[in-house]
Amino acid sequence: MPYFVGRDPFSVVLEPLYASAGSLSIYRDNRIWGGAIISARGDIDEAAFVEHLQRTVSDDGLFMEYLQVTTVDRTRTVPIGGTIRETVERQVRWTQILRWHFPGLVVGTVLVLLFVLAGAIVVPLPTAVLLTVLHLTVNEILGVRRWTAVLAYPAIFVFVPLTLYALARRTFVWGGRRYRGRGKFDVMVLK
């Protein structure tokens, strides 16, 4: 499973929520992360897979359609970001992938995030302590020792609006090209 480590201040602040919403859910739910999959060639219909791959920007999402996996208890550190723009575009891409592949999960996640944000505003100190302890525990489960778990409280103030923004956006930049996702297997390259 991946553990995303930020390379710019914005992605560093978001690390705790990437760990809990991303890495932990990959581990707990046996979800696919395209950066580390081992399978036999006969496990998927290769021709159909390649055809769909040409119409999607998410190899992760596509693999989710073709494979059932069991996540192994091994964490791989993955550097991400570099600039604030890259971090924003990555969040939009990830949110759009989940929007098309797991719409119910996205709705549930947004509701939980709004609830936690409300708690952070109404009862800041208990929420800050709870979020810090929770994210230290997540890091322990993932076998990662990162000081950034203490950023969990301020991260919620950034992550919630960023997630709402990502849901509202219809395009994102990935690999230097702008994409418009119109469906699970309907993506258009705009430039």
Side-chain angles (χ1 to χ4, degrees):
M1 71 205 122
Y3 188 95
F4 301 104
V5 175
R7 293 186 301 184
D8 64 88
F10 199 38
S11 60
V12 168
V13 169
L14 294 170
E15 270 186 43
L17 293 168
Y18 289 159
S20 61
S23 303
L24 185 63
S25 67
I26 288 169
Y27 176 67
R28 185 192 66 225
D29 299 337
N30 286 314
R31 289 225 172 96
I32 288 176
W33 175 58
I37 299 172
I38 298 173
S39 67
R41 188 173 223 144
D43 289 345
I44 63 172
D45 176 347
E46 189 175 348
F49 180 83
V50 170
E51 180 184 333
H52 279 129
L53 188 58
Q54 294 171 351
R55 297 183 1 229
T56 188
V57 74
S58 172
D59 58 344
D60 300 355
L62 185 58
F63 276 120
M64 285 184 242
E65 297 291 322
Y66 281 86
L67 294 173
Q68 295 293 318
V69 298
T70 301
T71 305
V72 295
D73 190 9
R74 193 170 82 198
T75 303
R76 178 176 161 201
T77 301
V78 180
I80 61 169
T83 67
I84 291 173
R85 179 174 179 181
E86 288 173 337
T87 298
V88 169
E89 294 296 338
R90 175 174 287 104
Q91 182 71 23
V92 173
R93 178 178 179 262
W94 284 349
T95 303
Q96 292 298 319
I97 290 167
L98 292 173
R99 173 180 174 233
W100 294 113
H101 287 273
F102 300 103
L105 176 68
V106 171
V107 170
T109 300
V110 168
L111 292 175
V112 168
L113 287 171
L114 290 171
F115 178 77
V116 173
L117 179 60
I121 293 168
V122 174
V123 286
L125 187 58
T127 304
V129 170
L130 179 66
L131 286 173
T132 302
V133 169
L134 173 71
H135 287 89
L136 286 168
T137 303
V138 166
N139 282 0
E140 189 65 31
I141 290 167
L142 298 173
V144 175
R145 303 239 189 250
R146 292 280 298 167
W147 67 270
T148 52
V150 301
L151 298 174
Y153 179 75
I156 199 74
F157 290 93
V158 175
F159 195 74
V160 173
L162 183 57
T163 300
L164 296 173
Y165 170 76
L167 282 170
R169 280 264 310 266
R170 292 299 170 241
T171 66
F172 56 88
V173 175
W174 189 251
R177 294 186 285 183
R178 181 167 297 280
Y179 295 90
R180 179 183 308 276
R182 299 182 299 193
K184 191 184 295 188
F185 298 114
D186 186 5
V187 65
M188 175 188 298
V189 179
L190 301 176
K191 67 171 189 160

